[in-house]
Amino acid sequence: MSTHDPTAELETRSIPRDQLQEYFDAFTKHFLTYESTDAVDVELIAPDWGDQFLAEGAHLYGISYDPKDDAIEFELEGGDHRIVHPREVWVAEEIDTFVKAIQVVRDDGSREVARVNRLGIRTTK
């Protein structure tokens, strides 16, 4: 999984389905509440359709997993994006566990890759 930053030290790992809700809730609370991630790109990579960007440069407000619907949801500026029935979920984390990239393998074998650009800490007035 590529994050477009060859200098960053990243750890890539799979997140088990029974840990998805806790994992994404913790990431959202810890990082997205106080950091400005104004540039998230979500790309669909499917053999039948080719590569398509589903979101480019959108602000990311949060990521959640709903075990009842078995769906991952990206809360984006301009509307949410859901991936139902993820077969596999992989993340590339920086040393402080900030997620730079998320790869979701869908039931049909296609993949969605979200790349998150870390822009900095928000200041409150």
Side-chain angles (χ1 to χ4, degrees):
M1 177 174 11
S2 171
T3 62
H4 298 298
D5 184 358
T7 63
E9 290 187 35
L10 300 174
E11 178 183 339
T12 301
R13 65 187 184 106
S14 174
I15 307 299
R17 183 178 309 276
D18 64 348
Q19 296 175 17
L20 288 172
Q21 183 176 15
E22 181 181 344
Y23 180 85
F24 287 124
D25 287 351
F27 171 72
T28 297
K29 182 179 180 180
H30 186 74
F31 290 104
L32 300 180
T33 301
Y34 300 106
E35 294 198 21
S36 177
T37 54
D38 290 332
V40 63
D41 300 321
V42 180
E43 181 179 9
L44 172 65
I45 303 166
D48 295 343
W49 303 332
D51 296 0
Q52 300 177 28
F53 279 92
L54 305 174
E56 289 184 86
H59 185 84
L60 176 63
Y61 295 109
I63 304 171
S64 60
Y65 174 74
D66 180 354
K68 182 179 173 190
D69 292 337
D70 188 24
I72 295 173
E73 186 162 349
F74 293 85
E75 299 165 38
L76 304 172
E77 178 181 37
D80 295 349
H81 175 66
R82 286 176 65 91
I83 304 169
V84 294
H85 309 298
R87 187 169 70 198
E88 297 175 38
V89 178
W90 292 83
V91 296
E93 298 174 334
E94 292 181 346
I95 200 160
D96 66 352
T97 70
F98 183 85
V99 177
K100 289 292 291 179
I102 302 164
Q103 177 177 268
V104 179
V105 180
R106 301 185 334 178
D107 275 341
D108 65 0
S110 62
R111 297 177 291 137
E112 291 195 35
V113 178
R115 291 179 187 86
V116 182
N117 293 315
R118 184 180 213 169
L119 300 178
I121 305 296
R122 280 191 211 131
T123 58
T124 57
K125 295 182 181 184

